[in-house]
Amino acid sequence: VVKAWAISGVDLHLELAGHRVRAGLEAALREAMQTGRLAPGTRLPSSRALAADLGIARNTVAEAYAQLGAEGWLTARQGSGTRVASTAAVSLPGPAAGIRPPLGVRAARHDLRPGSPDLSAFPRAGWLSAARKALSGAPSRALGYSDPRGRPELRTVLAAYLGRTRGVRVAPDRIVVCAGFTQGLALLCQVLPDVGVTRIAVEDYGQPRTAEALAASGLAPVMLGVDDGGAVLDKAHGAQAMLLTPAHQFPLGSVLSPRRRADAARWAAGSGGLIIEDDYDGEFRYDRQPVGALQALAPEHVIYAGTVSKTLAPGLRLGWLVLPARLTEAVASAKARSDAHTSSFEQLTLTEFITSGAYDRHVRRVRLAYRRRRDRLVAALAAHAPGVRVTGIAAGLHAVAELGPGQREEQVIAGAAARGVAIEGLGGYALRAHTRGPALVIGYATPPEHGYTTALARLVAAIRDQ
Ligand SMILES: Cc1ncc(COP(=O)(O)O)c(C=O)c1O
């Protein structure tokens, strides 16, 4: 039986398969919540109304609601009816291309995969008031086509912000605002071959989708090993460019050592090479001051890439490239061909958000929260899984947990999935062979604050019980 009904004006399509009406209704509602078709906070119809709509007994609906309530999907409160619980969102970011989500992950209630900050901590009120102020203050011409590099207001504010917080040496006319690092990299893939880049050195553990983007544009990768001092650079011979994550290697978490930073700058200046500095989570450093951007050592050779995906939310699709003079025009042209420019509305809002001090305040607040989570992760593993060694924790939003003797990534991932926890193994990030010991890459920033304790407890249980 296929039924549809309207919730708060939203048509929801439910398929009630088979004869077991109650089980069918539960499954259909669960599926709708898992896929996000029924969003957290959505008010469900009363059991009487839904029963009438579906032509089934009211008791059947009431029992299905009660069961889903017991499972944590729904909350019922006197006077405000039954709603989809705020924790019911399985807004899992899609897995990196090429990585299959482990079985059961779609139903995971607790997401500890790397790649996302706590989305429930997004400063909605602050963002809204920045948007209101930005839009009411913007002249009408700001709403028309604009400079492909981005709004001058934002580039001016970003230049100051990046200089102040990351030590980047930049003038506003060298910035191209883009849709996150993803688009920044895509633009560079178009431009680099024109300046003689055919081979690009990349860290041999990294984002598969980044490697795929490079390969798709015909750039041949040269693999660099990674150790406790970050990327090992001496294998970069023959490459005209390097893509590095100096502040916090992704995913292993090491920080590029001072000597290698100097080596990288010397290599670029000496050979005319280019370095793409992917500073995806550089705002998050816990034990001391953040290491400044590598870009400052060789601004005419380093393309600095930043993003709000970790500080605010990936969904904003806002990022920036800081470019050497010789690339700025070509990248701006590629951006113009790609999508004219990034939405002026979002750019002006971010401008206001940074200018008002709200961005700094937000980053400070979440940095503190993530630091506490990191400390709790380390403490929990030390107490309950002493065979596990945690590394890469000085910065960023994820840690690497090296598993103990005899433990396998797939087993722990499956054990975690059975407990409703989505987790990833290091193997999914090996761009050539997975030559390291078995390990998990734990995104401790991902769950909402109130879900972290449970997520951590279940993760620890999954590791301990293997
Ligand atoms: C290594 C790395 N760089 C950059 C990003 C950010 O990409 P974007 O700015 O397109 O959201 C991520 C996000 O997961 C990442 O893992």
Side-chain angles (χ1 to χ4, degrees), residues 95-96 99 102 112-114 409 413 422-426 429 439-442:
I99 302 180
L112 285 171
R113 299 184 301 166
E409 284 176 18
I413 291 168
I423 194 81
E424 282 181 353
L426 183 59
Y429 295 96
L440 304 175
V441 184
I442 301 169

Side-chain angles (χ1 to χ4, degrees), residues 115 180-182 207 209 250 278 280 307 309-310 317:
F181 176 71
T182 305
Q207 271 292 359
R209 60 175 179 262
F250 189 87
D278 178 6
Y280 64 103
T307 176
S309 290
K310 303 292 187 272
R317 306 315 303 137

Side-chain angles (χ1 to χ4, degrees), residues 114-116 178-184 203 206-207 209-210 243 245 248-251 278-281 305-310 313-315 317-320 398 429:
S116 177
C178 49
F181 176 71
T182 305
Q183 188 188 33
E203 296 156 339
Q207 271 292 359
R209 60 175 179 262
T210 298
L243 170 56
T245 47
H248 188 225
Q249 204 280 332
F250 189 87
D278 178 6
D279 196 37
Y280 64 103
D281 65 3
T307 176
V308 304
S309 290
K310 303 292 187 272
R317 306 315 303 137
L318 278 172
W320 42 84
H398 69 270
Y429 295 96

Side-chain angles (χ1 to χ4, degrees), residues 379-386 460 464:
L381 289 173
H384 304 292
V460 166
R464 195 192 43 214

Side-chain angles (χ1 to χ4, degrees), residues 256-347:
L256 192 66
S257 72
R259 169 181 291 203
R260 289 189 194 160
R261 288 160 61 88
D263 286 348
R266 209 174 304 118
W267 167 84
S271 66
L274 286 164
I275 296 170
I276 303 173
E277 176 174 21
D278 178 6
D279 196 37
Y280 64 103
D281 65 3
E283 288 85 352
F284 298 101
R285 169 101 191 185
Y286 302 113
D287 299 331
R288 47 192 162 98
Q289 282 296 305
V291 186
L294 171 61
Q295 187 264 5
L297 299 182
E300 293 306 332
H301 296 280
V302 177
I303 301 154
Y304 172 89
T307 176
V308 304
S309 290
K310 303 292 187 272
T311 51
L312 287 170
L316 279 173
R317 306 315 303 137
L318 278 172
W320 42 84
L321 296 176
V322 175
L323 294 151
R326 63 178 152 141
L327 292 180
T328 307
E329 209 174 298
V331 173
S333 300
K335 172 70 179 167
R337 285 195 303 276
S338 169
D339 61 354
H341 59 79
T342 293
S343 159
S344 300
F345 295 78
E346 301 298 354
Q347 291 190 63

